[in-house]
């Protein structure tokens, strides 16, 4: 996508700055942008289907074991989930802003908004790290390994403490760790992509005629945000 | 949508749409407000309707992200078709499996409890 192009202009002709990023198999910058967009949208469509398998697992177990799901969600702190929702919405605005800056040729704004997106993605993972480590230190793991400590059971609401601990509590947490873990891997990949974009923006690669990477990575980032929009109420607010 | 804001006058001619800051910040504010709504409504016991309401709010938020952050509102229609058809097939996938399991699970449980006393 980003290899320097040989260009189509005659030798000695003055090229527009973006022309050096025109791949040789495209006739124009416009067709390159349109093709890249179609490609990223097809990828995002496949991502939706990729996640749908986990939503099926969630749906089946919830439909058959609603009481277990309702019990288990008390182990999740909705404030952490809400905080991360706000953080991801913020990073999405910043990602959309970076596209706007790239389109308008605002280089400083582009660098700042890319950096802010990366920073907020990092904040998301730090919050997630605290959630995971708190659970795992208290024995709230997946599958048969899920043996909640007396300490974490004592922190549940009194009405919930009165209930016996379901023996298949780990089933909920298998689904929880798989869904949030796969989402977390996507966040990590997104951070890698933003590091790459920041490097290229620093070199001044992006101009109003060429911002394909900024646009496509932002589209990917919005999809990651969109999946969290569904995970938050389904896991934290049952 | 303000198509003629001064900032978009400087927009490139590549058939792209530059999102005005007001739309980006407005979308963000709507997403934050809907997050508050979804937390608030989860506190009210609506029985089966809690999850329906939560999903309806989540779909609204996802639509806002797609239309404005992902500028789908201004894109080639084909990209909308890709996203909507993927979402539709994901929804069909979940819905049919859940219908199926809720229909047969009582029979399976009944058969299991009948078979249990006899042992292997």
């Amino acid at each position: 996508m980003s290899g320097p192009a040989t260009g189509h202009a005659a030798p000695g002709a003055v090229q527009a700055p973006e022309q050096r990023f025109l791949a040789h198999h495209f006739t124009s910058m416009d067709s390159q942008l349109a093709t890249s967009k179609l490609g990223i949208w097809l990828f995002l469509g496949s991502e939706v289907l990729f996640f749908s398998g986990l939503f099926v697992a969630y749906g089946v177990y919830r439909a058959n074991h609603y009481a277990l799901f309702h019990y288990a969600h008390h182990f999740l702190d909705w404030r952490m989930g809400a905080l991360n929702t706000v953080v991801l919405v913020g990073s999405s605005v910043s990602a959309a802003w970076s596209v706007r800056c790239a389109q308008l040729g605002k280089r400083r704004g582009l660098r700042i908004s890319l950096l802010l997106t990366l920073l907020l993605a990092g904040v998301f993972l730090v919050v997630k790290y605290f959630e995971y480590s708190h659970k795992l230190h208290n024995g709230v793991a997946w599958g048969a390994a899920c043996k909640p400590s007396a300490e974490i059971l004592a922190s549940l609401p009194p009405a919930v403490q009165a209930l016996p601990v379901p023996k298949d509590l780990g089933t909920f947490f298998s689904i929880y760790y798989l869904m949030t873990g796969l989402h977390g891997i996507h966040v990590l990949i997104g951070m890698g992509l933003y590091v790459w974009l920041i490097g290229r923006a620093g070199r001044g690669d992006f101009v109003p005629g060429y911002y394909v990477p900024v646009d496509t990575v932002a589209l990917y980032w919005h999809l990651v945000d969109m999946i969290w929009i569904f995970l938050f109420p389904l896991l934290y607010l049952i | 949508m303000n198509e003629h804001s001064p900032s978009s006058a400087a927009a490139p001619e590549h058939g792209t749409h530059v999102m005005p800051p007001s739309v980006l910040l407005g979308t963000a504010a709507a997403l934050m407000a809907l997050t508050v709504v979804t937390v608030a409504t989860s506190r009210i016991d609506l029985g089966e309707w809690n999850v329906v309401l939560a999903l309806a709010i989540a779909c609204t938020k996802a639509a806002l992200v797609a239309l404005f952050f992902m500028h789908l509102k201004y894109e080639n229609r084909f990209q909308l078709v890709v996203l909507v058809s993927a979402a539709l097939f994901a929804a069909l996938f979940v819905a049919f499996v859940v219908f199926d399991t809720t229909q047969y699970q009582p029979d399976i449980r009944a058969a299991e409890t009948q078979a249990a006393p006899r042992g292997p």
Side-chain angles (χ1 to χ4, degrees):
Chain A
M1 193 200 301
S2 61
T6 47
H8 302 286
V14 179
Q15 287 190 347
E18 70 268 19
Q19 291 293 324
R20 68 198 169 103
F21 293 113
L22 178 62
H24 70 275
H25 49 280
F26 289 114
T27 51
S28 68
M29 295 308 281
D30 281 351
S31 81
Q32 179 169 277
L33 178 65
T35 310
S36 306
K37 277 201 177 177
L38 177 59
I40 191 73
W41 275 104
L42 287 173
F43 170 70
L44 297 184
S46 77
E47 285 275 277
V48 170
L49 299 176
F50 179 39
F51 271 94
S52 72
L54 287 172
F55 281 96
V56 166
Y58 175 92
V60 168
Y61 279 96
R62 184 193 163 116
N64 291 310
H65 307 282
Y66 177 73
L68 167 69
F69 269 51
H70 195 263
Y71 178 90
H73 101 280
H74 292 290
F75 286 86
L76 304 179
D77 189 346
W78 71 268
R79 286 164 301 185
M80 294 284 224
L83 171 65
N84 259 352
T85 306
V86 171
V87 168
L88 267 197
V89 168
S91 76
S92 246
V93 182
S94 156
W97 207 278
S98 72
V99 175
R100 180 187 148 78
C101 287
Q103 286 170 327
L104 297 175
K106 294 180 176 170
R107 292 195 177 181
R108 190 160 171 273
L110 174 64
R111 285 205 302 275
I112 292 170
S113 51
L114 291 176
L115 210 60
L116 190 62
T117 311
L118 177 68
L119 201 74
L120 290 169
V123 170
F124 179 90
L125 283 185
V126 167
V127 172
K128 209 75 218 142
Y129 168 78
F130 282 118
E131 286 190 85
Y132 279 170
S133 60
H134 174 64
K135 282 187 193 64
L136 292 173
H137 284 152
N138 284 289
V140 182
W142 46 86
C146 183
K147 298 202 167 42
S149 67
E151 190 191 333
I152 199 165
L153 287 173
S155 69
L156 297 176
V160 183
Q161 282 184 45
L163 301 168
V165 179
K167 69 173 180 6
D168 43 4
L169 183 63
T171 306
F172 174 85
F173 284 101
S174 296
I175 292 173
Y176 166 80
Y177 283 114
L178 276 173
M179 291 184 105
T180 56
L182 186 64
H183 180 264
I185 290 170
H186 278 77
V187 173
L188 213 55
I189 293 170
M191 287 178 75
L193 292 170
Y194 272 99
V195 168
W196 171 64
L197 285 183
I198 289 165
R200 290 196 65 186
R203 286 208 306 266
D205 282 359
F206 304 125
V207 287
Y210 174 73
Y211 56 89
V212 168
V214 181
D215 202 8
T216 47
V217 171
L219 288 172
Y220 166 82
W221 192 251
H222 295 313
L223 189 92
V224 173
D225 180 28
M226 218 189 249
I227 288 165
W228 182 258
I229 283 173
F230 285 92
L231 292 183
F232 171 57
L234 288 178
L235 293 170
Y236 290 79
L237 304 173
I238 291 172
Chain B
M1 217 57 51
N2 186 1
E3 298 280 356
H4 305 286
S5 63
S7 56
S8 65
E13 70 290 353
H14 296 270
T16 55
H17 184 272
V18 181
M19 286 311 242
S22 57
V23 175
L24 293 179
L25 295 177
T27 307
L31 289 172
M32 300 288 188
L34 285 171
T35 304
V36 174
V37 171
T38 198
V39 171
T41 53
S42 76
R43 300 302 180 85
I44 310 164
D45 189 8
L46 302 169
E48 301 258 305
W49 291 98
N50 270 115
V51 69
V52 177
L53 187 62
L55 284 176
I57 295 170
C59 287
T60 311
K61 289 170 77 179
L64 286 174
V65 171
L67 288 175
F68 299 110
F69 284 173
M70 299 170 99
H71 35 87
L72 211 50
K73 194 170 188 281
Y74 312 93
E75 291 286 349
N76 187 333
R77 283 277 167 264
F78 189 78
Q79 279 137 27
L80 187 68
V81 172
V82 171
L83 183 70
V84 169
S85 57
L88 201 66
F89 277 102
L92 275 178
F93 187 20
V94 177
F96 273 90
V97 179
V98 171
F99 286 153
D100 191 65
T101 186
T102 48
Q103 185 165 10
Y104 294 110
Q105 202 65 24
D107 296 347
I108 294 168
R109 285 192 183 159
E112 274 172 356
T113 47
Q114 265 184 355
R118 265 180 270 147

